[in-house]
């Protein structure tokens, strides 16, 4: 029995160029980034001695398109890759490419496109406006076109354009580290301290999982803790504009066990699930899908290789922390503890799109219609 392999197909409007992709994600494995490979089919009569080029453009939008007036632009485009992919006799073929070339005939050319190591990950930021045409954040386009020279600007009619991503997934090896933090607060003209210890079961959580936090409170002061609040905070850094902001993606306030009087102790567990769908006002929240997708996931944490600082990454840097607040009243103020953790997807095959099947022999060839949550979704 031969296992079916999914291949995504798209044809240029003029019908002369057809491309097949076996995957649509540049997967960052920290040590290296996997390329996107596929096969392009061009008629020899249309090629006429010209070349097929692959161009990868990253678009960095940090402002709404409708606010661009009088020559002011809130977007930058960078061409990261522009290579000749056909004819190319030195291309090493993988199993999927070999089967595609054999199936599609002599006009099929295999290609492989790799990103530079410093390329940023794909992130979309909710602008708070459902009518915005272009999403804020970092997006990628892979375009295959026929031309006499690679610096020629390709026309949409005779080129194939795929919306692709660069993503990071959690490593296979599970971390046994259990993060914890201890903070204290002293009060003016009052002896003793209020101690707050917060701990997590692990430092890596997957999207959709509950984050359980254990809170230990030791009230050695003369003040009284009236309420407790636990929050999961998303921290976003936009490197191009040097902006930093934070958004609460899950929150829970509790009076159970309160008031915590002087000399008392309390141990409590909070369970929070960070989800974009729970936030009706998602302005400024970083997502890994389109803004108009109601079920889009939160953006994954940005991870750097060992020995490198994550703050040196380009694009949009995303991180998460668990924040616990103890309210001691208007005069005494609050005691706040922040505990960082990572929120990511387990692997690249965690979700499978439901697509329209065009042909099923030894592989499934499916129409590439659009990109939703990083996956192609064909029209029903």
């Amino acid at each position: 029995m031969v296992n079916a392999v999914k291949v995504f197909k798209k044809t240029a409007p003029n019908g002369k160029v057809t491309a097949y992709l076996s995957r649509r994600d540049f997967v960052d494995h920290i040590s290296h980034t996997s390329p996107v490979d596929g096969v392009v089919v061009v008629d020899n009569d249309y090629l006429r001695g010209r070349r097929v080029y692959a161009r990868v453009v990253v678009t960095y939008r940090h402002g709404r398109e409708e606010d661009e007036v009088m020559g002011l632009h809130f977007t930058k485009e960078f061409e990261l890759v522009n290579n000749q992919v056909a004819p190319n006799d030195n291309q090493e073929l993988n199993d999927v490419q070999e089967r595609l070339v054999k199936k599609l005939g002599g006009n099929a050319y295999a290609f492989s496109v790799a990103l530079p190591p410093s390329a940023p990950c794909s992130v979309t930021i909710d602008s708070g406006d459902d009518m915005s045409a272009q999403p804020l954040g970092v997006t990628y386009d892979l375009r295959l076109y026929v031309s006499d020279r690679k610096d020629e600007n390709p026309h949409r009619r005779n080129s194939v354009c795929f919306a692709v991503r660069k993503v990071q997934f959690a490593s296979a090896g599970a971390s046994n580290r259990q993060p914890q933090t201890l903070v204290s607060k002293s009060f003016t003209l009052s002896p003793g301290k209020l101690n707050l210890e917060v701990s997590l079961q692990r430092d890596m959580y997957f999207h959709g999982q509950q984050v359980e936090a254990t809170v230990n409170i030791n009230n050695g002061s003369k003040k009284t803790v009236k309420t407790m609040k636990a929050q999961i905070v998303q921290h976003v850094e936009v490197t191009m504009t040097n902006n930093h902001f934070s958004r609460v993606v899950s929150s829970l306030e509790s009076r159970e066990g309160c008031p915590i009087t002087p000399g008392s102790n309390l141990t409590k567990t909070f369970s929070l699930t960070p989800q974009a769908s729970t936030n009706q006002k998602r302005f400024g929240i970083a997502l890994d899908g389109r803004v108009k997708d109601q079920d889009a996931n939160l953006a994954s944490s940005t991870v750097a290789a060992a020995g490198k600082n994550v703050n040196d990454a380009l694009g949009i840097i995303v991180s998460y922390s668990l924040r616990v607040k103890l309210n001691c009243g208007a005069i005494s103020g609050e005691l706040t503890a922040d505990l960082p953790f990572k929120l990511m997807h387990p692997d690249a095959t965690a979700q499978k799109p439901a697509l329209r099947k065009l042909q099923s022999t030894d592989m499934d060839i499916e129409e590439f219609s659009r990109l939703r949550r990083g996956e192609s979704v064909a029209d029903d």
Side-chain angles (χ1 to χ4, degrees):
M1 180 178 179
V2 179
N3 293 328
V5 177
K6 284 191 175 180
V7 178
F8 304 94
K9 170 187 175 182
K10 193 169 185 180
T11 304
N14 63 1
K16 302 296 184 180
V17 183
T18 303
Y20 300 81
L21 290 185
S22 58
R23 55 186 175 189
R24 301 140 296 167
D25 292 338
F26 296 95
V27 180
D28 186 357
H29 301 283
I30 310 301
S31 60
H32 68 283
T33 301
S34 298
V36 168
D37 44 35
V39 171
V40 58
V41 180
V42 185
D43 190 88
N44 286 332
D45 295 335
Y46 180 72
L47 199 59
R48 293 198 305 269
R50 295 183 294 176
R51 301 291 185 265
V52 181
Y53 296 95
R55 175 183 295 182
V56 178
V57 175
V58 56
T59 303
Y60 201 156
R61 175 167 289 278
H62 53 90
R64 299 189 307 173
E65 186 178 16
E66 51 269 28
D67 293 336
E68 296 180 344
V69 294
M70 300 181 65
L72 180 64
H73 296 284
F74 296 118
T75 182
K76 293 288 185 182
E77 290 187 357
F78 301 96
E79 184 181 272
L80 301 182
V81 178
N82 194 347
N83 298 329
Q84 175 185 329
V85 295
N88 187 2
D89 298 331
N90 298 325
Q91 174 68 35
E92 295 183 2
L93 307 184
N94 57 31
D95 294 338
V96 177
Q97 288 175 323
E98 287 181 358
R99 293 160 66 183
L100 279 173
V101 170
K102 183 178 179 180
K103 182 183 182 69
L104 298 173
N107 295 332
Y109 304 93
F111 68 90
S112 180
V113 179
L115 289 181
S118 59
C121 291
S122 300
V123 178
T124 302
I125 297 180
D126 196 331
S127 63
D129 185 6
D130 293 337
M131 302 303 294
S132 179
Q134 300 295 331
L136 303 182
V138 179
T139 56
Y140 283 90
D141 289 317
L142 168 62
R143 186 177 297 272
L144 297 166
Y145 63 97
V146 178
S147 175
D148 293 321
R149 60 186 191 278
K150 67 178 182 179
D151 57 347
E152 181 179 346
N153 190 20
H155 195 278
R156 291 185 178 181
R157 184 173 54 86
N158 54 17
S159 62
V160 180
C161 185
F162 289 95
V164 294
R165 300 184 309 168
K166 181 185 178 184
V167 295
Q168 286 184 327
F169 296 102
S171 58
S175 174
N176 296 324
R177 190 175 72 89
Q178 295 180 339
Q180 61 181 3
T181 184
L182 175 63
V183 295
S184 301
K185 181 179 177 66
S186 58
F187 302 91
T188 306
L189 303 178
S190 178
K193 290 184 178 182
L194 175 62
N195 300 312
L196 170 62
E197 183 181 4
V198 182
S199 61
L200 294 173
Q201 295 179 352
R202 57 185 185 272
D203 66 341
M204 176 72 71
Y205 290 87
F206 299 144
H207 291 280
Q209 287 185 340
Q210 281 191 344
V211 179
E212 293 187 356
T214 302
V215 178
N216 293 315
I217 303 172
N218 178 15
N219 191 1
S221 67
K222 299 299 182 181
K223 303 295 181 179
T224 300
V225 178
K226 298 182 178 180
T227 60
M228 297 177 290
K229 179 183 291 186
Q231 298 174 331
I232 293 181
V233 184
Q234 181 190 72
H235 308 278
V236 178
E237 178 184 354
V238 183
T239 59
M240 176 168 286
T241 57
N242 198 24
N243 287 339
H244 301 74
F245 55 89
S246 301
R247 295 292 184 269
V248 176
V249 295
S250 183
S251 180
L252 177 63
E253 187 171 358
S254 175
R255 294 179 179 271
E256 183 180 355
C258 296
I260 304 176
T261 56
S264 301
N265 298 323
L266 177 66
T267 300
K268 184 175 177 59
T269 301
F270 289 96
S271 296
L272 299 172
T273 303
Q275 291 180 346
S277 58
T278 60
N279 301 275
Q280 303 203 351
K281 294 183 179 180
R282 302 191 309 188
F283 172 73
I285 294 180
L287 309 173
D288 71 350
R290 298 290 183 177
V291 175
K292 296 181 181 179
D293 294 342
Q294 297 299 322
D295 56 347
N297 288 110
L298 295 170
S300 298
S301 301
T302 304
V303 180
K308 294 185 178 180
N309 190 349
V310 70
N311 295 325
D312 295 334
L314 300 176
I316 297 176
I317 302 174
V318 180
S319 60
Y320 292 88
S321 67
L322 173 73
R323 180 173 295 170
V324 179
K325 294 182 179 181
L326 303 182
N327 183 14
C328 299
I331 298 177
S332 301
E334 293 181 338
L335 174 59
T336 303
D338 277 288
L339 187 59
F341 67 94
K342 297 181 181 66
L343 182 66
M344 303 184 73
H345 287 290
D347 54 53
T349 59
Q351 296 176 349
K352 296 293 184 181
L355 302 175
R356 181 173 65 250
K357 185 178 296 185
L358 299 182
Q359 185 177 1
S360 178
T361 53
D362 56 343
M363 59 181 62
D364 296 337
I365 299 178
E366 302 168 351
E367 286 286 355
F368 188 104
S369 294
R370 62 191 177 95
L371 196 73
R372 183 168 179 263
R373 295 177 61 185
E375 298 174 343
S376 302
V377 176
D379 298 330
D380 295 331

